Each structure stands twice: as C-alpha cells, then as structure tokens.
Amino acid sequence: MRAELPQRPVIAAAWQRAGRAGLRPDARPEPLLHDVETADPLLDAARPVLERAATILTGTDTALLLVDSQCRMVSRVTAGTTLEGRLEQAGVIRGAAFDESQMGTTALGTTAEVRGDLIINGTEHYLEQFKKLSCFGRPIIHPATRRLAGIICMTEVAPQVNPLSVPLIRGLVDDIAERLRDRSHSDHRAVIAHFHRASTRRDIAIAAVGDDLQLTNALAAELLAPGDFGTLRTMVTDTSDAERTVTLVSGLDADVWVDRVDGVRHAAVFHIRPRVAVPEVDAVAAAAPPRTAQTVAVCGEPGTGRSTHARSLLPDAVVVDVASALLDGSGPDLAGAVRRARSAGRGLIVDGADLLDDRSMRLAQAALAADDPSSPPIVLVSEPPTAAAPVLAATVACCRRRVTLPPLRQRTGELAALSHRLLAAIDPALRLAPDAADALASQEWPGNLTELGIVLDAAATVALARGSRQVAAADLPDGYRSSSRASRLMGMEQAERQAIIEALDASGGNKSHAAKSLGVSRTTLYARIRALGINR
C-alpha cells in the first residue's frame, strides 16, 4: 500500500527522493557505518557547545544530534534514558549514515538537501521508526569556506516540535560557527607563517595548501596548473614518503618534498623541483642479442593503457586483437599473424593474450621461445599473471622483458596530468579545477583510464553546456563529485588500505583468501574494508 504524500511540498519532495532510493516506509535499515575521523575539527568546535547545552536539556526527553557534511553521525547528546535507548535501536550511533537514501526524511539528511532550517513533526518522517519523534535541524555553514560543515538536530518524543527549541538550536549553531572561524583563522596563520619561512629560498618552487587556502611563490605559480593542487592535497595525509615524484598537468615530472604544518590537519608546504628530461631508450627498437628476438609482456588491468603502450613499442606491427576476433566469430589466427610479421619484417602484437585458448597459448609460447634471427619482435598484452590461469603465467614468463602498468588507483600523482591530457583531446581550452582534481584523486577507478575518460567526457559536456572552460567538481557525474574517506586517511591507514587492496587483487577478489593472506579473520577484514572506504 502506497503512503499518502504529506501536504508540505518540502516534505513531499523528500518522501519521493526516499522512495526513489528504494526505501520502504516500514523498513528498519541497518545503519551503514563510516569512519568519521575526518569530522574531528567539527567535533572539536562543537564539543564544548554541546556540553553546555546538555545541562539545559537535563530532565527532558530530548536529544541533540550532530552529523558532518556527509550526514554521518558524529555526536549524540541525550538527557533521558528512554530516548537514549530508542535512538540506539533506530541506528542513531556514531558513524551511521543519515542521508535520505539511508534513513529517509529526517531533520539531518533532508536539512542537508535543502541547505536551510527544517522542522519535521512526527508523522512527517518517512520511516515508521521515527514517527514518534519530532525534530528541528539547522545547517552549520563554515564561516571561512562558506561550505556545509555539518548539521545539528534537536530531537524530542512529541507529535510536534517545541517552538522554543528553534532559537536554542540557532544559538548553538552560531557558537559552533564562531569556534570554527577562530580555528580556521589560527590554522591559516600557521600555514602562512610556514609558507613564508620556506619562501626565503628563491631558487625553488614553493606552494602551500590548507583548508580553503592555496599559496605559491613566483616559481610555483608559473609551474603549477589549478589541477596540480588536487594532486598536492592527496599527498598531505600520505605520510609514507616525505618526497615523491609526480607528473604535473604540464607533463613535467617533478620531485616534491612535503613539509607538513604541525598542529594543522590537512595542511603542508611543498618544495617542488622539476626534473630535467632524459631521453629514454626504446628497449624494443634497441639492438637485440644475436639470434634472439626481443619479446616483451605488457601486463595490467583492463583500461590501464596496456594496448596503447604496446603500440608505442611496436608502431608498425601486425596486431592480433584477440577480443575482436572472438567477437566477430573468426577466432585469432596466431600462426598466420606470425607468418605475416616475419615475411613483412615487422613486429607482432598479441593484444588480449589472456583470452587465448590452450592451443593458441602453446603456439604463442613457441613463437616467444623461437631461437631464429628471422623471428619478429613480439609484444604480448595481457592481464597481470597473478590473476591469471597457470598457462597464461607460463606464457608471460617466456617473454624476455615484462612491463607492468599500475592501475589508476595507484597513480594519484599522475592523475591530474592524465586528466588534463584527456580533456585536451576533447577541447584544448578545457582545464581541470582543483576541487575536481581532488575529487578524482579520491576514487577507486576499477575501470582505470577507460573509466576516467568516460567520466571526463561527461563532465566536459556539462562544463561546456554552461559556457565554462573549467571542469569543476560539480560537473562530474554523480558518485564522483566528493572526496571520499580514502583521500583523508593518515599514513598508517593508507598503508593498511593499500595492503588490503593488493591482497584482494592477488586473491581475485576472494575475501576469505585475502583475509588468510593478511593473517586476519574474515570479520576483521570486512570491518576494515568498510572503515577504510574500499569499494570491493
């Protein structure tokens, strides 16, 4: 039976969004838990304010709820044990997601949608489990960045909100915003002072980033594009290396030393030195040992650019596209391709070797092992042998050289430059905004460069339609616009996250095998996958 929509338009629209998300009014959803460590600055600002408010609420059946900008529960202050138990049973616990797709119409998730004060009386809640509660929610707007920092909601067991709660909540929000302003000013002063100390050197590019703050000296201003700041921000919380090499949007490789600002979260000063380009030796074109043809295996996940890389090694080669041959029903003629390459004096690329049947795989092994000066150079393109069948692993092992292309999720230092090149192919005037670069660097990219190309093509269409040449985070498709938890992890967590991803890759996604290789229980692995933002 379909529930009748409420009369208030703002509530009716919220019910419709919840329904489209797949929620039923009689559902009791399990809370989707997140690690909310990134909300610590908000909680630091709110804690003394909430503690003072708790004394006002003593003896009432009322609670104060605080969520962060992504509607994840950060704090709960209750004055009565009855309401405390009811909220616990309803999933109002630290880390729980309270956006509309998870918990329907509430003064938390719906307030985030409308970005304004909102009263929700008992029966206006979408889920039955909240209908005995009435709430007033107010967004907390960071006074320095003008972005949503969080939401405070007063909840009480009553059919309607007590109107006296409205001025109280507004006062609490103002106090929290003032504390956020003071902290922001203090953090900005610390970053600026750190930047000025580093800028005494005139011979090196110096840049600094903090929350809503970017600084450069003259050399860095000439060197860095807006999209490069997204790359720099991803390096702030990665404590695995103080110095890294990144590829800038301009295509230059640069050594970057990260000097973090003590006492300020997500802030650092960067010392940037461009590398002098050194001509690379083309290994395939180089002279091969006598009587031995050059053979190379180019391995990587689909979409990592392995086919493009293979063609750069042998530009004029005979190409066996195994997938295309299988799709058109003809099947790959490997023996015929070897003959054509030999007679024409050209190289041979076998693209999609992991799709070959056993007979063709043995022919490939024989061609790779041929001890004949007339044998053509061969480049084999396949998925990584760790995730492949034994026959493929043996075939790859026959190659004298192996090139492994890392997945895009491991190339955050190059992501801004790669994005810039893909955008330039769409329209040379297009540029990537820093917030878009930051959001892109936070994604998992299971489809690698192919997925990135699709996302940027869609974003470019949106940006051009609004008359802009700069692709902003808001232009990206849904699901790619915000920075995920993964981009804000500290160094040890980043290392743990990468270890889990590599174990999952090595086990072909089998979580039981991955847990065993890591030496943890499957329950622990599932918990860490959720906490570290791993989408597997």
Side-chain angles (χ1 to χ4, degrees):
M1 178 177 177
R2 183 177 178 180
E4 185 177 347
L5 288 176
Q7 292 184 354
R8 280 207 291 161
V10 64
I11 304 299
W15 278 39
Q16 290 172 333
R17 289 193 296 269
R20 286 196 297 269
L23 277 181
R24 292 175 54 86
D26 58 353
R28 296 187 66 86
E30 284 291 320
L32 181 62
L33 299 182
H34 298 270
D35 192 320
V36 289
E37 181 191 354
T38 53
D40 284 352
L42 171 65
L43 186 56
D44 288 346
R47 186 179 287 113
V49 178
L50 294 177
E51 288 173 352
R52 290 198 305 270
T55 61
I56 301 174
L57 301 180
T58 302
T60 68
D61 222 3
T62 306
L64 286 172
L65 309 178
L66 174 68
V67 297
D68 65 8
S69 60
Q70 298 181 54
C71 288
R72 303 173 303 187
M73 188 62 59
V74 174
S75 181
R76 183 186 73 202
V77 177
T78 51
T81 56
T82 302
L83 182 56
E84 175 86 11
R86 178 173 289 179
L87 293 175
E88 190 86 25
Q89 291 176 359
V92 185
I93 55 180
R94 181 174 169 83
F98 262 79
D99 52 283
E100 286 185 335
S101 65
Q102 296 296 324
M103 292 293 183
T105 306
T106 67
L108 297 168
T110 306
T111 300
E113 288 286 338
V114 302
R115 290 293 201 274
D117 294 3
L118 185 65
I119 289 174
I120 298 186
N121 293 315
T123 57
E124 291 180 320
H125 285 97
Y126 183 76
L127 295 181
E128 293 291 338
Q129 64 180 7
F130 296 132
K131 287 187 181 291
K132 294 188 181 300
L133 305 174
S134 291
C135 311
F136 171 68
R138 182 177 175 84
I140 304 168
I141 305 299
H142 197 297
T145 65
R146 306 310 302 166
R147 298 173 186 154
L148 179 69
I151 296 158
I152 278 192
C153 165
M154 177 171 278
T155 300
E156 55 189 316
V157 181
Q160 290 187 319
V161 167
N162 181 346
L164 296 178
S165 66
V166 174
L168 172 62
I169 293 298
R170 287 175 175 165
L172 296 180
V173 168
D174 290 345
D175 289 346
I176 294 172
E178 186 62 31
R179 288 179 59 82
L180 286 172
R181 185 203 309 274
D182 291 343
R183 179 186 178 119
S184 179
H185 288 171
S186 174
D187 289 351
H188 280 189
R189 286 194 296 271
V191 175
I192 292 169
H194 210 85
F195 171 77
H196 283 313
R197 286 194 295 272
S199 296
T200 55
R201 296 196 56 176
R202 305 285 185 177
D203 61 334
I204 190 169
I206 303 291
V209 298
D211 282 337
D212 199 44
L213 180 67
Q214 292 177 182
L215 301 169
T216 60
N217 66 359
L219 286 177
E222 294 178 1
L223 187 64
L224 300 176
D228 290 320
F229 284 94
T231 301
L232 296 181
R233 288 185 185 279
T234 64
M235 298 173 64
V236 174
T237 53
D238 182 2
T239 58
S240 57
D241 292 300
E243 187 168 353
R244 288 175 55 186
T245 301
V246 302
T247 303
L248 303 177
V249 165
S250 63
L252 285 174
D253 287 338
D255 293 323
V256 181
W257 180 60
V258 186
D259 183 13
R260 291 172 182 82
V261 181
D262 292 338
V264 183
R265 291 170 58 90
H266 308 143
V269 172
F270 300 88
H271 301 244
I272 307 164
R273 286 188 182 277
R275 284 191 167 188
V276 178
V278 178
E280 295 184 0
V281 177
D282 188 335
V284 173
R291 297 180 57 79
T292 303
Q294 179 69 42
T295 55
V296 182
V298 178
C299 302
E301 296 177 5
T304 51
R306 56 191 190 181
S307 298
T308 302
H309 187 80
R311 284 163 173 76
S312 73
L313 296 176
L314 289 176
D316 192 36
V318 174
V319 178
V320 179
D321 188 334
V322 179
S324 296
L326 291 173
L327 286 172
D328 66 23
S330 61
D333 180 10
L334 194 59
V338 172
R339 289 193 299 271
R340 290 197 305 275
R342 181 182 289 128
S343 63
R346 297 158 60 190
L348 173 65
I349 295 175
V350 182
D351 193 348
D354 44 293
L355 300 176
L356 292 172
D357 58 23
D358 285 352
R359 175 181 175 276
S360 297
M361 202 75 78
R362 291 189 182 90
L363 287 174
Q365 291 176 15
L368 291 166
D371 187 17
D372 184 345
S374 66
S375 295
I378 299 175
V379 174
L380 201 72
V381 179
S382 87
E383 63 183 30
T386 53
V391 177
L392 174 59
T395 305
V396 170
C398 290
C399 295
R400 300 182 65 83
R401 177 169 164 258
R402 184 184 304 180
V403 176
T404 300
L405 301 180
L408 193 55
R409 61 182 173 274
Q410 296 176 9
R411 301 173 66 185
T412 53
E414 303 172 65
L415 203 139
L418 291 169
S419 300
H420 180 79
R421 288 203 289 271
L422 289 170
L423 286 175
I426 299 169
D427 186 326
L430 282 172
R431 295 292 181 269
L432 193 68
D435 62 344
D438 193 18
L440 293 176
S442 303
Q443 309 304 321
E444 288 294 317
W445 302 113
N448 292 295
L449 291 170
T450 302
E451 180 185 3
L452 177 62
I454 293 170
V455 168
L456 290 175
D457 186 64
T461 300
V462 175
L464 293 171
R466 63 181 177 83
S468 175
R469 297 293 184 181
Q470 187 173 66
V471 174
D475 299 321
L476 299 171
D478 290 344
Y480 295 88
R481 293 173 185 164
S482 62
S483 299
S484 70
R485 157 72 178 145
S487 68
R488 300 299 188 190
L489 297 177
M490 302 307 288
M492 287 299 293
E493 291 176 315
Q494 287 279 13
E496 181 184 358
R497 185 175 189 274
Q498 190 57 40
I500 292 174
I501 290 173
E502 289 175 358
L504 289 170
D505 287 344
S507 64
N510 187 307
K511 293 183 176 64
S512 296
H513 293 169
K516 185 176 180 180
S517 70
L518 291 166
V520 299
S521 69
R522 191 167 56 176
T523 302
T524 298
L525 179 62
Y526 276 109
R528 297 310 294 159
I529 285 174
R530 287 194 299 272
L532 298 173
I534 299 172
N535 300 320
R536 297 295 179 93

